[in-house]
Amino acid sequence: MENSKEMRKWLDDMALPHPLVIAGPCSAETEEQVLKIAHELKDSDVNYYRAGIWKPRTRPGNFEGVGAIGLKWLQKVKEETGLKTATEVANRNHVDLALEHDIDMLWIGARSTVSPFIVQEIADALEGTDKVVLIKNPVNPDLSLWLGAVERLYSANIKKLGVIHRGFSSYEKTKYRNIPEWQLAIELQTRFPDLPLINDPSHITGKRDMVFDVSQTALDLNFDGLMIETHFDPDNAWSDAAQQVTPDTLKQMFIDLKMRKETDLEAEYNSKLSNLRAQIDVIDNQLVETLGKRMKISDEIGKLKKQKNVAVLQTNRWNAILGNMILEGEERGLSEEFVLRMFKAIHQESINHQEKIINA
Ligand code: PEP
Ligand code: MN
């Protein structure tokens, strides 16, 4: 697959004055719920109304979606509000039913993108469709798997495409439900600048009070749109209660978010600059996080040394680390002087940590 403007024509043709907005509940629950939210979103920046009809749940026994009946409710949404509709499909049967009910946008969920068999089945069922198809990143941080899914759809002659970045699962507990690993989305954007890239801050954060900040980062990184779960009574939603925002909150968000539209040279300069700065911010956060992890390990070493009554400073080990890092640094264009200064500072912090432990 080559980068192609064709993939984003559907988006460009909308000529939106703001990023694409997909909003609506995690799940369709009842006809009343689906219609009430849609009416509350009608006069807003929302372009597509989302609702999950078939819900992939990690553990059985949770609400698994209302099924095909929900497609009729989405049709009613379109009739009553004019909003275009979007839902998740995970097999051939879902695709057939969604197309029958004239759903405008179909997305492949993170749990499906991991399976080339499922993606191929969906691609075959959708062959040649003129509906918009979006592919969520796989649950694991694997760019090839994500691109592989896009390629399968592109090869099935589906040209209205896009991807949704919804973060990646990790064993480690973090403040995110799914860690963003922004660098993956940035790499995809660099390789396929014309493939529409949409951020899903709801599934990245898992918490409604973090949705705004992640949305702003996505816009700073020049994402083309946002998919945000929205419910009039989030706390009582049948799925993903903690991460949904009310329609009013969503509207306020779009007043407060700083949008960056490239209109003239000055704006283009500002937009490029803020994009690069956002990339730096992502990396700086990772640096501090990584250094924190390193210190935790250093603390463990301190505890071991205390048990065995071993000296904190072991010169041989330290010289070996430095030698290796100077070589690694050289390959990446870092001067020996910088690597030395940086590692001396890191080493000093390690020693401070270990001494604290040994003297405790
Ligand atoms: C969803 O959008 O409701 C959903 C199930 O998302 P994901 O596939 O990203 O988990
Ligand atoms: Mn959800």
Side-chain angles (χ1 to χ4, degrees):
M1 188 178 73
E2 277 171 31
N3 181 55
S4 147
K5 284 235 183 294
E6 194 185 8
M7 299 186 290
R8 63 177 302 114
K9 190 170 179 303
W10 65 274
L11 183 58
D12 290 342
D13 284 350
M14 291 172 79
L16 296 172
H18 55 72
L20 182 81
V21 188
I22 306 165
C26 176
S27 304
E29 299 165 4
T30 64
E31 182 170 349
E32 294 67 39
Q33 172 249 14
V34 168
L35 288 168
K36 182 169 157 65
I37 300 169
H39 278 281
E40 288 181 23
L41 291 175
K42 194 176 114 187
D43 300 311
S44 70
D45 289 338
V46 175
N47 308 108
Y48 282 85
Y49 184 76
R50 65 151 283 157
I53 302 295
W54 300 282
K55 299 302 300 174
R57 306 313 298 269
T58 304
R59 310 277 304 269
N62 292 316
F63 175 57
E64 298 200 321
V66 293
I69 181 84
L71 296 169
K72 298 232 171 351
W73 308 340
L74 284 177
Q75 273 186 309
K76 241 185 173 168
V77 164
K78 194 157 31 177
E79 277 162 33
E80 288 187 17
T81 67
L83 285 168
K84 293 198 184 105
T85 53
T87 201
E88 173 174 351
V89 289
N91 60 37
R92 175 180 288 279
N93 183 240
H94 294 168
V95 169
D96 292 345
L97 285 165
L99 293 181
E100 247 170 59
H101 289 82
D102 201 28
I103 301 296
D104 302 289
M105 170 188 275
L106 312 172
W107 81 82
I108 299 182
R111 292 163 194 76
S112 301
T113 309
V114 291
S115 165
F117 283 140
I118 281 295
V119 173
Q120 192 59 54
E121 177 179 319
I122 296 171
D124 292 343
L126 280 167
E127 171 106 44
T129 186
D130 66 347
K131 304 294 185 192
V132 179
V133 183
L134 305 180
I135 300 112
K136 284 200 168 194
N137 66 254
V139 282
N140 55 322
D142 184 334
L143 188 57
S144 314
L145 207 47
W146 197 3
L147 285 172
V150 181
E151 281 161 354
R152 283 176 198 279
L153 289 153
Y154 192 76
S155 304
N157 206 19
I158 300 158
K159 299 288 144 66
K160 296 183 180 172
L161 286 171
V163 290
I164 304 177
H165 169 234
R166 51 77 80 193
F168 303 88
S169 73
S170 70
Y171 181 64
E172 219 180 311
K173 284 272 156 283
T174 71
K175 65 177 176 175
Y176 299 104
R177 178 178 176 194
N178 291 292
I179 45 178
E181 307 275 22
W182 292 104
Q183 70 283 1
L184 246 104
I186 292 167
E187 194 181 331
L188 184 137
Q189 196 179 37
T190 310
R191 283 166 63 178
F192 296 96
D194 289 319
L195 183 60
L197 175 60
I198 290 150
N199 184 256
D200 173 349
S202 308
H203 289 90
I204 288 179
T205 63
K207 285 180 219 78
R208 71 180 65 94
D209 60 357
M210 288 168 66
V211 167
F212 181 87
D213 285 348
V214 168
S215 302
Q216 186 63 65
T217 301
L219 297 185
D220 292 344
L221 289 169
N222 283 346
F223 275 60
D224 297 289
L226 297 168
M227 177 192 258
I228 300 180
E229 288 189 340
T230 314
H231 194 295
F232 58 80
D233 184 10
D235 284 333
N236 291 306
W238 296 4
S239 59
D240 288 351
Q243 71 194 29
Q244 306 205 51
V245 299
T246 62
D248 279 348
T249 304
L250 186 87
K251 288 179 201 168
Q252 189 58 44
M253 267 182 61
F254 278 90
I255 295 170
D256 296 338
L257 282 170
K258 287 194 229 60
M259 314 278 174
R260 297 188 169 83
K261 203 166 172 290
E262 292 177 22
T263 44
D264 56 33
L265 281 179
E266 180 68 13
E268 192 179 326
Y269 160 80
N270 284 327
S271 156
K272 282 202 174 124
L273 190 63
S274 54
N275 176 273
L276 292 170
R277 284 185 173 151
Q279 293 190 40
I280 294 259
D281 289 349
V282 165
I283 291 175
D284 284 349
N285 272 314
Q286 285 169 347
L287 278 176
V288 172
E289 225 172 81
T290 306
L291 286 172
K293 277 190 204 157
R294 192 190 190 282
M295 287 310 150
K296 283 226 165 68
I297 297 176
S298 189
D299 288 349
E300 291 304 313
I301 294 180
K303 285 181 202 155
L304 273 179
K305 285 181 179 167
K306 182 175 182 164
Q307 279 172 13
K308 290 279 174 215
N309 212 8
V310 176
V312 162
L313 190 62
Q314 284 166 314
T315 326
N316 288 350
R317 159 97 179 126
W318 176 238
N319 285 339
I321 295 184
L322 265 190
N324 283 338
M325 289 305 110
I326 288 171
L327 287 179
E328 289 274 340
E330 221 167 56
E331 275 178 30
R332 291 169 174 76
L334 305 175
S335 71
E336 177 170 339
E337 191 221 344
F338 169 69
V339 173
L340 275 173
R341 264 199 292 156
M342 175 174 67
F343 272 93
K344 273 192 186 144
I346 293 175
H347 190 226
Q348 190 55 53
E349 182 74 3
S350 272
I351 291 178
N352 296 350
H353 269 242
Q354 294 192 9
E355 291 204 318
K356 230 190 206 161
I357 286 174
I358 287 179
N359 297 324

